[in-house]
Amino acid sequence: MSITREEFEQLEVLSKETEQLRNKLKEIQRRPIVSAYNISDCRSSRGGHSDRVFDLVAARDELERKINRNWLAMNHFINKIYNPLSLLSSVTPLEMRVSTALRYRYLDGISWDKIGEHWGIKGESCRRIVGKYKRTLN
């Protein structure tokens, strides 16, 4: 099983979308849901504070669901390059390195610079390795 160029491009789109969703989630998580002086208002159901709390929690849950759905799709595509649990596939060193880099970058959200630092190379070199692999796809 190997990844096609279209699937690789879809992986890149999913990663950008997931990064945007993660940023939105961080923004929501920074907002205080319940302020100390309004804690007694949470019982009201007249469209006040409790509705704002509900809206924030619902928005956070929806973002987390979308992030998880994208994560699963990205993981599926990356496993098409190299699945470390599969003993049946013959894998080149380039495929192993690209798969690892994509897992770090897209699934774990680690920057190219941090990945490069971990490998003892520049972040731009990591990006070039992935680009080199992408050019080899049909």
Side-chain angles (χ1 to χ4, degrees):
M1 177 169 38
S2 66
I3 192 168
T4 65
R5 178 178 286 278
E6 291 80 24
E7 290 171 329
F8 196 95
E9 289 169 355
Q10 200 173 354
L11 172 64
E12 292 175 320
V13 168
L14 280 169
S15 75
K16 289 176 186 170
E17 180 184 315
T18 303
E19 189 171 337
Q20 291 171 346
L21 291 170
R22 285 177 177 155
N23 289 337
K24 286 180 185 178
L25 181 61
K26 286 177 188 174
E27 182 182 313
I28 287 176
Q29 288 172 333
R30 275 184 279 207
R31 294 183 199 165
I33 290 181
V34 178
S35 58
Y37 61 88
N38 280 336
I39 226 162
S40 63
D41 294 342
C42 286
R43 289 184 301 245
S44 72
S45 61
R46 296 187 195 127
H49 184 73
S50 63
D51 288 344
R52 288 191 305 272
V53 170
F54 177 79
D55 290 345
L56 280 174
V57 171
R60 188 184 69 205
D61 288 347
E62 182 61 25
L63 285 171
E64 287 174 347
R65 267 194 295 280
K66 288 179 180 178
I67 290 168
N68 288 338
R69 190 174 23 239
N70 284 2
W71 191 94
L72 289 171
M74 290 186 299
N75 190 49
H76 171 74
F77 289 135
I78 292 170
N79 280 339
K80 285 185 159 197
I81 299 170
Y82 167 63
N83 184 350
L85 301 177
S86 173
L87 301 175
L88 303 175
S89 63
S90 60
V91 180
T92 67
L94 177 62
E95 290 170 328
M96 288 177 68
R97 186 156 253 208
V98 165
S99 173
T100 302
L102 293 176
R103 283 181 201 286
Y104 287 154
R105 178 71 185 123
Y106 296 157
L107 301 182
D108 299 335
I110 299 172
S111 72
W112 290 116
D113 290 333
K114 290 285 184 190
I115 296 167
E117 183 181 313
H118 177 70
W119 287 347
I121 60 177
K122 293 182 179 182
E124 188 57 37
S125 297
C126 292
R127 194 175 295 178
R128 269 191 243 119
I129 289 169
V130 172
K132 177 181 176 182
Y133 176 79
K134 183 180 176 183
R135 286 188 297 279
T136 66
L137 299 175
N138 298 331

